[in-house]
């Protein structure tokens, strides 16, 4: 029999616990649409408070937990908290609710989905209605969903009935689907992009506290708002903190997903560790340091490249102020921007471990200059 020479991924550490995942499930199931992130941010802040020395927020809702707030040298670990959603844009006379995108929400998955509208009087349930298949077949081709032909139905049959429920223009709707677990360590949920990042950086803070680690710098655990519409929250908070180093975490595509071209997106798969991205905003010496940490601790990593921009908050930190050595640590994700985003539990553990061990390696004397 031929020997199986395929390299096996090391067994993931178990850094999280049942209490951690209870928080994670609740966090995923709490809608936090772009511009309206407060419910999820409050939940996240309550979770990390025991593990930090102090905290602060900014006017638009980004939340920062701080360890060693008086230290002059500042390191950031960051995620974004907002999720894609729909804005209520127009209510017709017969009670149908038309929408606009709030972030990169996918109109093709909307038909038949249940949503929760954050109304002025509380949450209102509604659905993206869609005509039966045998009523929409035409002589040319079947009608396709578009933003302009999608509408929500909450049960109101007049504009007044809809408004009496507290639904007005400017309210937001998020999909109802939440956290669940599949076979072989896979998790699914709405808005893993990027509340999984918020979960992981909170776990790093917990591990530092529980293991009584003393850092030689100030650590800023940042959960930023408004990434999905242009990295806006990170722009604001980076200028306020003025960090010396930033480690950004987000999601990236599992390129074994059907219809994704590896020649374009690279070779990344769930369960094989975090993905490290090369790109102009990614500091090469910091990248090398993180790779060395991964190798020393037997943490599997996957490499990919980006053209021009990572499309994440990395750019907001890298180019803030006078420049901040930054890098992106991504967790592989299948079916991004759908209600069934899928990731592997092992990758959560690997990513937490990589950030944790990297922080224990960094010091204010870490030399990241290209010229010395």
């Amino acid at each position: 029999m031929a020997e199986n020479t395929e390299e096996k991924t090391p067994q993931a550490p178990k850094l999280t616990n049942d209490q951690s995942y209870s928080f994670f499930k609740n966090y995923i199931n709490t809608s936090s649409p772009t511009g309206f992130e407060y419910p999820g941010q409050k939940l996240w802040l309550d979770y990390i408070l025991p593990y930090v020395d102090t905290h602060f927020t900014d006017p638009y809702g980004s939340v920062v937990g701080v360890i060693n707030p008086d230290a002059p040298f500042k390191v950031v670990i960051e995620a974004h908290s907002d999720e894609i959603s729909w804005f209520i844009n127009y209510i017709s006379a017969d009670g149908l609710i038309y929408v606009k995108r709030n972030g990169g929400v996918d109109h093709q998955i909307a038909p038949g989905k249940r949503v929760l509208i954050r109304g002025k009087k509380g949450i209102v349930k509604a659905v993206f209605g869609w005509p039966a298949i045998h009523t929409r077949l035409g002589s040319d081709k079947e009608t396709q969903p578009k933003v302009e032909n999608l509408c929500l139905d909450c049960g109101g049959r007049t504009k007044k009935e809809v408004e009496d429920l507290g639904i007005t223009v400017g309210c937001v709707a998020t999909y109802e689907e939440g956290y669940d677990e599949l076979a072989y360590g896979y998790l699914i949920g709405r808005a893993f992009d990027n509340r999984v990042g918020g979960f992981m950086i909170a776990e790093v803070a917990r591990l530092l506290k529980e293991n009584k680690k003393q850092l030689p710098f100030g650590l800023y655990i940042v959960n930023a708002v408004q990434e999905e519409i242009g990295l806006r929250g990170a722009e604001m908070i980076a200028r306020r903190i003025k960090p010396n180093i930033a480690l950004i975490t987000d999601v990236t595509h599992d390129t074994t997903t059907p219809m994704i071209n590896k020649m374009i997106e690279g070779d990344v798969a769930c369960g094989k560790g975090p993905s490290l991205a090369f790109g102009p905003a990614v500091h090469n010496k910091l990248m090398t340091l993180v790779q060395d940490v991964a190798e020393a601790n037997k943490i599997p990593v996957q490499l990919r490249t980006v053209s021009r921009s990572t499309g994440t908050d990395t750019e907001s930190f890298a180019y803030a102020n006078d420049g901040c050595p930054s890098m992106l640590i991504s967790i592989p994700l299948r079916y991004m921007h759908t209600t069934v985003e899928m990731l592997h539990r092992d990758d959560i553990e690997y990513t937490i471990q990589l950030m944790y061990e990297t922080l224990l390696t960094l010091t204010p004397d870490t030399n990241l200059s290209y010229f010395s």
Side-chain angles (χ1 to χ4, degrees), residues 293-340:
V293 168
E295 183 177 0
N297 290 277
K298 296 182 171 53
I299 303 168
V301 294
Q302 305 176 80
L303 302 179
R304 64 188 181 95
T305 61
V306 298
S307 178
R308 296 177 64 88
S309 170
T310 66
T312 72
D313 285 339
T314 308
E315 271 73 17
S316 293
F317 281 90
Y319 303 139
N321 309 303
D322 296 326
C324 170
S326 303
M327 73 165 296
L328 174 62
I329 303 174
S330 299
I331 184 168
L333 184 79
R334 297 168 76 90
Y335 319 125
M336 190 183 297
H337 284 197
T338 73
T339 59
V340 291

Side-chain angles (χ1 to χ4, degrees), residues 166-347:
I167 299 173
T168 64
V169 170
C171 291
V172 288
T174 53
Y175 293 120
E176 186 178 52
E177 286 94 336
Y179 176 95
D180 210 342
E181 300 183 6
L182 302 183
Y184 304 111
Y186 281 94
L187 311 176
I188 58 169
R190 184 201 79 254
F192 280 167
D193 176 11
N194 178 36
R195 284 207 282 280
V196 67
F199 171 62
M200 293 187 298
I201 60 176
E203 289 300 280
V204 171
R206 179 181 64 80
L207 290 170
L208 290 168
K209 181 74 170 184
E210 292 180 354
N211 294 330
K212 298 182 170 61
K213 297 297 183 181
Q214 299 296 317
L215 298 175
F217 49 77
L219 179 63
Y220 292 70
I221 303 105
V222 178
N223 211 10
V225 297
Q226 298 196 24
E227 187 269 356
E228 294 290 357
I229 48 83
L231 324 180
R232 301 309 185 193
E235 286 182 6
M236 292 182 277
I237 208 69
R239 287 194 293 266
R240 178 168 176 175
I241 297 172
K242 297 181 173 60
N244 300 96
I245 295 173
L247 302 175
I248 312 305
T249 182
D250 209 322
V251 297
T252 191
H253 302 289
D254 175 334
T255 61
T256 66
T257 306
M259 297 186 287
I260 292 184
N261 188 338
K262 289 185 178 182
M263 290 182 288
I264 297 172
E265 299 292 345
D267 190 3
V268 176
C270 288
K272 295 185 176 181
S275 170
L276 309 181
F278 289 93
V282 174
H283 195 280
N284 293 322
K285 291 191 72 172
L286 184 56
M287 167 72 92
T288 299
L289 183 149
V290 173
Q291 287 179 279
D292 290 345
V293 168
E295 183 177 0
N297 290 277
K298 296 182 171 53
I299 303 168
V301 294
Q302 305 176 80
L303 302 179
R304 64 188 181 95
T305 61
V306 298
S307 178
R308 296 177 64 88
S309 170
T310 66
T312 72
D313 285 339
T314 308
E315 271 73 17
S316 293
F317 281 90
Y319 303 139
N321 309 303
D322 296 326
C324 170
S326 303
M327 73 165 296
L328 174 62
I329 303 174
S330 299
I331 184 168
L333 184 79
R334 297 168 76 90
Y335 319 125
M336 190 183 297
H337 284 197
T338 73
T339 59
V340 291
E341 293 182 335
M342 181 186 296
L343 47 77
H344 200 281
R345 194 162 181 157
D346 284 354
D347 292 329

